[in-house]
Amino acid sequence: MSGVSGMLEGRRASRGRLITLEGIEGAGKSTVAVALREALESRGIEVCLTREPGGTPLAERVRALVLGHGEEPLAPQAELLLMFAARRIHVDNLIRPALERGQWVLCDRFTDATRAYQGGGRGMPADFIETLAGAVHPDVNPDLTLLLDLPVALGLSRAAGRRGVPDRFESEDVAFFERVRARYLELGRAQARFAVIDASRPLATVTADAVAALGRVLQA
Ligand code: TMP
């Protein structure tokens, strides 16, 4: 076995990579995710594109609970635990099996969203979030995280243009999203697995930068 076919065989036999996409509302994650999938597939890599909260039928039911405006109050801690409950289901039933088959998983949000929204936005303690992350997915962590960063006002105006009834997060005020963005940027600065991409530029430019950032994991 040699050349390209040898490389592909090697890739299939080894564990896949987990690539996550993060950012506030209106950052363009969904469009970028589709472009990344195409870029990976064009290199012969099998891709599983998924999202959080959700990604499996059961985890999508948890998503509906946590995003919907229910009849009862949902304390920040309950919201945090529901995010991790959905994540545990998703990791066990979809992400880990896909990685073990050698597929690359492209996930629209993962635990950094919890760090940013429940940690930064809601003020839940970072050490509690890390304890839960360590218990829920000790063996499954992103190889690369693309943070699509843009000013809150721009993100919210883009998101408002395309949505129906705002969900529990979309109903939050600007100050909430400023805290979320600030926490994302802190994480992006602190950890080498992040590529921070300026998402205020035209989507084609953002997408090109995101595809270029894949080079880090393609060469690894
Ligand atoms: P989406 O609109 O990008 O699909 O994300 C759904 C919402 O859920 C979004 O407002 C961010 C929020 N969220 C959290 O608050 N914590 C999390 O851990 C995740 C995965 C999402």
Side-chain angles (χ1 to χ4, degrees):
M1 203 189 308
S2 65
V4 173
S5 71
M7 275 166 58
L8 291 178
E9 278 307 316
R11 235 171 221 158
R12 257 180 228 125
S14 63
R15 189 178 162 101
R17 303 276 153 75
L18 173 59
I19 300 169
T20 58
L21 274 164
E22 299 284 357
I24 60 165
E25 273 63 10
K29 289 184 289 96
S30 316
T31 310
V32 169
V34 171
L36 292 175
R37 177 171 65 186
E38 282 168 12
L40 290 170
E41 285 177 348
S42 75
R43 288 165 174 80
I45 295 169
E46 274 186 56
V47 178
C48 169
L49 177 56
T50 186
R51 70 168 181 183
E52 289 210 346
T56 77
L58 183 56
E60 288 287 331
R61 281 159 65 188
V62 180
R63 176 187 176 94
L65 289 177
V66 75
L67 295 192
H69 293 277
E71 294 131 35
E72 293 176 41
L74 186 63
Q77 190 185 73
E79 179 183 282
L80 171 64
L81 294 171
L82 285 172
M83 291 298 177
F84 273 111
R87 184 159 300 130
R88 176 66 200 243
I89 296 165
H90 191 206
V91 166
D92 284 354
N93 299 349
L94 190 120
I95 297 180
R96 186 184 300 104
L99 293 172
E100 284 173 356
R101 281 194 301 272
Q103 292 182 331
W104 287 34
V105 176
L106 206 48
C107 194
D108 185 341
R109 300 195 186 280
F110 196 62
T111 298
D112 296 310
T114 310
R115 296 182 173 109
Y117 282 77
Q118 282 66 53
R122 303 272 193 236
M124 295 302 295
D127 58 348
F128 185 45
I129 294 175
E130 294 315 316
T131 300
L132 289 169
V136 168
H137 55 89
D139 57 329
V140 172
N141 284 291
D143 297 288
L144 172 69
T145 299
L146 304 179
L147 171 56
L148 305 187
D149 176 64
L150 80 176
V152 170
L154 178 58
L156 294 184
S157 74
R158 280 188 191 169
R162 59 159 197 247
R163 74 171 172 224
V165 180
D167 66 31
R168 283 185 54 256
F169 292 99
E170 291 163 342
S171 309
E172 288 295 335
D173 59 15
V174 171
F176 175 85
F177 289 104
E178 292 289 2
R179 292 195 297 277
V180 172
R181 181 186 184 206
R183 184 60 59 90
Y184 266 138
L185 286 172
E186 271 173 37
L187 293 166
R189 276 192 291 271
Q191 297 189 34
R193 70 179 159 89
F194 274 86
V196 182
I197 294 171
D198 175 358
S200 67
R201 298 168 302 158
L203 210 44
T205 316
V206 175
T207 301
D209 277 7
V211 170
L214 286 177
R216 296 193 196 184
V217 272
L218 284 167
Q219 284 146 20

